[in-house]
Amino acid sequence: MSAVVFWIAGPLAVLGALGLLFFRKAVYAALSMAFTMINLAVLYASLAAMFLTFVQIIVYTGAIMMLFLFVMMLVGVDTPDSVVETLKGHKVAAWLAGAGMLGLIVFGIGGAMVGGPNVGLDDANALHGGNVQSLAALIFGRYVFAFELTSALLITAAVGAMVLGQHARTKPKPTQRELADERMREYAENGAHPGSLPNSGVLAQHNSIATPALLPDGSVSDASVSPTLAMRGVIVDAPALSRSTAAVFEQVSGPAAEEEDE
């Protein structure tokens, strides 16, 4: 029975792992990872490792994968990945670590295939009265040092992730006085406008960023509209629009004024 389950769940787990590698969308990659974890849980169940089965489903597939999806929803699924190398040599270290993990997997599978007969977990589970009891006896007995060392490694990894996630300032934050001095310096040296640019105009018949603002003399302020819109030629003719607005206003107010006079 375990052989049949292996040949069904094993290829499905491999397909999920390939989807994690080759899917370009982060959500599809995360769902592929969850699919692989579920198939691993099925494999654990076929080997009578019930503790690992429920841990795989509850902890990894249920909790950690939901955390991944929650983080994706926070940062946005369409957020582009940065290709800038912020840590020197981390790509080379990643390739070396990947090659080492691949070697461990290949040699581990090869050793299992050329080793002795598969005896299963029935005898090991019966030694201490069950799968959970036998696993606890090994973790907190024979392998307690390795278990505590793994805990220290996970804590160190969590602290390192928090440290790397911090965006510490390399320079003090400029004050308002310093920003104002910088703007005036740019104005004196390059002629840059020291203040904020004028806002786009808002007329009675049109409300758009393509509507330029009018200066006190009635001319159009080119700085109030985006240069991109100007290059596309989609800027609204503000003087003509203002004249049509004035004409409509006169038509509306004319009859009302005549009725009041009567």
Side-chain angles (χ1 to χ4, degrees):
M1 182 64 183
S2 60
V4 176
V5 174
F6 172 79
W7 288 110
I8 295 176
L12 293 178
V14 173
L15 289 177
L18 293 176
L20 172 64
L21 293 176
F22 295 108
F23 274 132
R24 299 184 64 88
K25 289 186 175 295
V27 175
Y28 294 164
L31 293 177
S32 299
M33 183 184 294
F35 182 72
T36 301
M37 290 182 177
I38 293 175
N39 284 280
L40 290 178
V42 174
L43 292 176
Y44 292 150
S46 66
L47 297 174
M50 301 310 298
F51 179 78
L52 291 180
T53 300
F54 287 103
V55 167
Q56 184 73 27
I57 294 176
I58 298 173
V59 178
Y60 289 97
T61 308
I64 296 180
M65 285 307 305
M66 292 303 105
L67 179 61
F68 285 171
L69 295 176
F70 180 71
V71 172
M72 290 178 188
M73 289 188 292
L74 287 179
V75 302
V77 294
D78 296 329
T79 302
D81 296 331
S82 176
V83 295
V84 179
E85 186 175 358
T86 56
L87 298 176
K88 293 183 179 180
H90 81 281
K91 290 185 178 180
V92 177
W95 278 105
L96 293 177
M101 291 296 297
L102 180 61
L104 289 175
I105 294 173
V106 170
F107 286 114
I109 295 177
M113 293 179 64
V114 299
N118 298 324
V119 296
L121 296 177
D122 294 334
D123 295 337
N125 292 339
L127 184 60
H128 295 279
N131 178 254
V132 177
Q133 293 84 343
S134 301
L135 190 61
L138 290 175
I139 291 178
F140 299 105
R142 181 176 178 181
Y143 299 106
V144 63
F145 179 75
F147 178 74
E148 296 297 335
L149 190 62
T150 304
S151 303
L153 177 63
L154 293 177
I155 294 175
T156 305
V159 174
M162 289 187 291
V163 171
L164 293 177
Q166 292 288 335
H167 298 281
R169 286 184 175 272
T170 58
K171 297 181 180 179
K173 185 178 180 180
T175 62
Q176 292 293 333
R177 178 62 181 271
E178 293 174 349
L179 294 176
D181 293 341
E182 181 65 23
R183 288 196 298 267
M184 297 306 299
R185 189 180 303 109
E186 290 290 333
Y187 174 70
E189 295 176 357
N190 303 323
H193 194 278
S196 58
L197 296 177
N199 297 325
S200 55
V202 179
L203 302 178
Q205 290 185 339
H206 201 79
N207 182 4
S208 170
I209 59 173
T211 305
L214 300 180
L215 298 176
D217 58 354
S219 60
V220 174
S221 174
D222 296 331
S224 63
V225 291
S226 172
T228 304
L229 298 179
M231 293 175 61
R232 293 178 180 176
V234 295
I235 302 300
V236 177
D237 188 1
L241 190 58
S242 62
R243 288 194 296 269
S244 62
T245 303
V248 173
F249 181 76
E250 291 179 357
Q251 294 176 1
V252 174
S253 61
E258 295 177 358
E259 292 178 0
E260 291 180 358
D261 293 338
E262 293 177 357

